[in-house]
Amino acid sequence: MSTSKVSPDNKVVALFSNVLTEKGIEDLRSEFPSDLVFDMSDDATFKDARKKRTRRNKLIEAISRARIDYSNELKNYADDLESDVTKIFSVVVDPFEAEDQRRKEEAARIAKEREEFLNNQRTEIYGMRSFIEQSKNQNSQFIADTIEAVDLIETESFDKELIHEAIDTKKDVLETLNNMYQAAKAAEAVEAEREQLRIQQEAIEAEQRKQEQARVIEQRIDNLRRDPMNYKDSPSSTIAARITQLESYTPPASDFGDRLEEVNQLKLEVIEELKDRLEMAQFKEEKQQRQADAQAAVEAQQQAAQADLNAQRNAEHQAIEAEQSSSIPLEQQEHEALTEVNRMLGQNEPLLGESFKSPVFENAGPMTGYQPLSQWPSSQDRAESEELDRICDQLDLAESYIEVLEQRLNKAIAA
């Protein structure tokens, strides 16, 4: 690869002639041809090469010093020339540069103000999109108001550099807000429907609770009304305890609501009815006690009568054996047996009193059997009539006698 060299100017050649001329260069090329080979392993050759390197370095240093000295001289001269030229032209250049600087500063100021103006408008344009963020999760009315506010923004006031961006941004924001408005309206419609359903459901539940409360109150009142029936066959002590409990009981308004006055009146009625049942129970218990006492007396009489009857049967049996040829009619035997039993029981008058006659004991004809009553007067009727109750007691006692008599009569017939 060959390198072309620019021929030096004569002034430059003259500058370095006192250090190294063209002839000196040629002499060095002759002294050190390119194909010359040195044996540096030889000490003498090595020492001589050191001296030649020192010689080279001195030549290079001399050339460099000449260049630097000339450069300094050239620079100083050039600086003087520049100073003179600058001074000469300063009469026109200084005011020009001052005006030029002012104009640049003014242009920079205007450019800065415009950039600030544009930045403010860019901020205003970007601020339109903030309406979207503000409208998120808001109701339709809020979004509608926001749409109106955005629609009032005058895009014509924007710089021509930004007006199209402002128009497009406003359009995009309005479109987005309209979509959000429609979505909010739809969501509110659904929510309104849900709220209506919730209100209806609450009304239904409230009505159900009201009906259930009324049913419970009615059930409580009905239970209180039917309370006396629970003590229909209860002993008087239990009924008396219930009366005491009810008399000390104050029906709470929380249990009966607006029917409290009715419940208080019903409680008094129930207490009165229970008192009636108490009297009936006491009367029944007294009657049962009397019946028990009478039954005990009957049983004692029956035992004595049975003993007498046994003795009589023995006597009759002996008489029958002695008089086997004689025959007494069966009807006469039954009548005599009944008469004897009545005598032994001490029943010298009708069981039901003078005003009530019994055909069973007064009829001399044959016995056809006695059918006990299948239906008795009610307890209420007996409680209202002392005479009827006394007759029923006598009839009850009479039936017990009749049953005994029938048993005995049957035995007598069988014998």
Side-chain angles (χ1 to χ4, degrees), residues 85-183:
V85 171
T86 299
K87 186 175 181 181
I88 292 170
F89 280 91
S90 64
V91 66
V92 63
V93 171
D94 286 351
F96 167 78
E97 289 182 345
E99 177 63 16
D100 184 57
Q101 180 64 29
R102 187 193 68 77
R103 292 188 179 190
K104 289 180 179 178
E105 291 176 353
E106 180 65 13
R109 183 188 65 78
I110 293 173
K112 181 179 179 182
E113 289 181 354
R114 176 169 174 75
E115 186 63 25
E116 290 177 352
F117 172 74
L118 293 177
N119 285 337
N120 290 335
Q121 290 200 336
R122 289 188 185 99
T123 301
E124 187 175 351
I125 292 172
Y126 182 78
M128 293 184 196
R129 299 190 180 277
S130 65
F131 288 108
I132 297 175
E133 291 297 324
Q134 294 172 8
S135 299
K136 288 182 177 179
N137 301 322
Q138 297 294 337
N139 56 42
S140 61
Q141 185 58 49
F142 181 92
I143 299 174
D145 294 340
T146 304
I147 291 174
E148 184 177 356
V150 174
D151 194 48
L152 292 175
I153 296 175
E154 297 291 342
T155 56
E156 291 80 3
S157 63
F158 287 90
D159 188 84
K160 62 181 180 179
E161 183 178 336
L162 300 174
I163 188 169
H164 294 295
E165 181 181 353
I167 293 173
D168 293 341
T169 301
K170 179 180 176 180
K171 180 180 178 182
D172 292 342
V173 170
L174 286 175
E175 184 177 353
T176 302
L177 288 175
N178 279 321
N179 292 335
M180 294 174 67
Y181 173 78
Q182 296 300 328

